[in-house]
Amino acid sequence: MKATQLYQAPSHAWLMFGRDEGKPEKIIDTNQYLVKGIGQAVLLDPGGTELFSPMLAAILQHIELEELTTLFASHQDPDIISSLGLWDKALPDATLHAPWLWEGFIRHFGMNNIKYQGIKDEGGDIRLNDISLKLIPAHYLHSSGNFHVYDPLAKILMSGDVGAALEKTNAPIFVDDFAAHVKHMEYFHRRWMPSNRAKANWIARVRELDIDIMAPQHGRLFKGDAVAEFLEWFAKLDVGIAS
């Protein structure tokens, strides 16, 4: 499990975990994100059941287990949160922030100890001491109850499936040639994003944010000018097409 530091400051840090060469062949590669504060940390989209052991081992290289007080699930998909039942045993006092809409479904993954904190449709925040991570509505992209995470200090947007690309585990971490990268994203976005109206609403909301890095749950991350390039491309893309 490869770890990449995205941001480091005295207050907190961002780490990405992914490019898991040991994953089963027919399971898609996913990016997991750890935001590490002082004595507290949150794991964003912890991943599927098959990832629990390598994720736990990777995280323990950077924090003590008791510092991991919070989990976040952007939506209900198994590649996002099916490891919940195992985290529930490892972190019995933790809190899961996830869409209120999906509580009855997410609990099927196993949740006897962890507290479920439902996110209202309008969003909210996750606090790590003095750090506030903003929960940005991203409904219907692709889930009907969906949220992204924005850190105004680090200027990082964890964008879930928006910006996702399905590539091999040896793909670079960052997009270096946007035009060449489009072929890895186009079908995924056309098929999995069902609503042009929802897409336009999200783009308008995100363009008001100051973003240095856009970090999706699959594939490469967008940095600097590549963020604006993605938003321009996505705005023009016709989505919700099955063929």
Side-chain angles (χ1 to χ4, degrees), residues 71-205:
L71 303 175
F72 165 82
S74 58
H75 58 292
Q76 81 292 352
D77 278 359
D79 62 324
I80 299 290
I81 194 61
S82 65
S83 58
L84 178 61
L86 297 169
W87 289 111
D88 190 71
K89 293 179 174 63
L91 305 170
D93 299 318
T95 297
L96 171 67
H97 293 257
W100 72 268
L101 185 68
W102 291 115
E103 179 175 0
F105 295 81
I106 286 176
R107 285 186 177 274
H108 280 281
F109 293 127
M111 191 174 175
N112 297 313
N113 301 301
I114 290 175
K115 176 185 175 184
Y116 195 103
Q117 183 65 53
I119 306 169
K120 298 179 180 179
D121 283 346
E122 60 269 25
D125 59 71
I126 296 173
R127 300 287 304 186
L128 291 179
N129 296 319
D130 294 333
I131 304 303
S132 180
L133 304 176
K134 306 300 181 183
L135 302 177
I136 307 298
H139 305 309
Y140 301 102
L141 298 175
H142 63 93
S143 169
S144 53
N146 202 90
F147 292 91
H148 297 161
V149 178
Y150 175 64
D151 181 343
L153 292 178
K155 300 180 181 179
I156 295 175
L157 175 69
M158 197 287 278
S159 61
D161 283 313
V162 176
L166 303 182
E167 297 186 83
K168 296 182 179 179
T169 56
N170 62 356
I173 298 297
F174 290 98
V175 172
D176 52 6
D177 182 337
F178 184 84
H181 187 60
V182 166
K183 66 178 179 289
H184 300 295
M185 302 188 294
E186 186 166 1
Y187 178 77
F188 180 90
H189 286 76
R190 285 189 183 276
R191 184 64 191 262
W192 285 95
M193 303 298 160
S195 168
N196 284 303
R197 178 180 175 185
K199 179 195 72 170
N201 289 342
W202 179 86
I203 291 170
R205 186 177 291 116

Side-chain angles (χ1 to χ4, degrees), residues 150 155-157 206-207 209-214 224 227 231:
Y150 175 64
K155 300 180 181 179
I156 295 175
L157 175 69
V206 167
R207 278 180 169 157
L209 306 176
D210 187 4
I211 300 171
D212 283 346
I213 296 175
M214 192 179 95
V227 176
L231 293 176

Side-chain angles (χ1 to χ4, degrees), residues 9 16 27 30 39 42 51 93 100 118 142 149 163 204 212-213 216 234 241:
M16 170 202 162
I27 290 179
T30 54
V42 54
L51 278 185
D93 299 318
W100 72 268
H142 63 93
V149 178
D212 283 346
I213 296 175
F234 195 33
I241 295 174

